[in-house]
Amino acid sequence: MFQFAGMVAKRTVGEAARAEMLVTARCRGCGHAASFLASDLASVTDPGLALDRLPFRCRECRQRDCEVSAEEIERDRRPGIVIWRPTRLR
């Protein structure tokens, strides 16, 4: 259900936040994706929650079927991605 890029697999939001990882949710229905800092997610949800249990809903098609991945942020080069800030999780 979820996959990890990088050396060590992080299973919970708190583990990913301590490792300063980027969490990406990609809709399996339409392919829309959004990326968040794991530390931001840990501040609005239970840090002990498994990454695959995060309640993401696609903003485009409203489906809840999302693939969640966590990856280390490469600070040496500037990534061409937009990082969203969560306001709340339901």
Side-chain angles (χ1 to χ4, degrees):
M1 230 190 233
F2 58 98
Q3 62 186 358
F4 299 97
M7 307 244 334
V8 179
K10 305 297 176 204
R11 300 174 203 271
T12 67
V13 175
E15 290 174 344
R18 282 189 293 281
E20 298 181 356
M21 299 183 92
L22 186 69
V23 175
T24 302
R26 181 175 307 278
C27 178
R28 289 187 176 107
C30 70
H32 179 75
S35 298
F36 303 87
L37 294 175
S39 58
D40 288 344
L41 293 174
S43 70
V44 296
T45 190
D46 176 17
L49 187 65
L51 288 173
D52 64 336
R53 306 295 284 166
L54 285 168
F56 286 112
R57 180 188 300 262
C58 179
R59 199 173 93 187
E60 300 297 319
C61 68
R62 309 297 297 162
Q63 288 187 9
R64 287 192 176 265
D65 187 18
C66 293
E67 176 184 351
V68 179
S69 63
E71 60 186 308
E72 293 181 7
I73 301 171
E74 292 188 34
R75 301 202 185 269
D76 293 341
R77 45 187 152 134
R78 186 176 172 174
I81 58 170
V82 174
I83 297 177
W84 292 86
R85 304 296 301 258
T87 55
R88 67 178 179 186
L89 290 175
R90 295 180 195 198

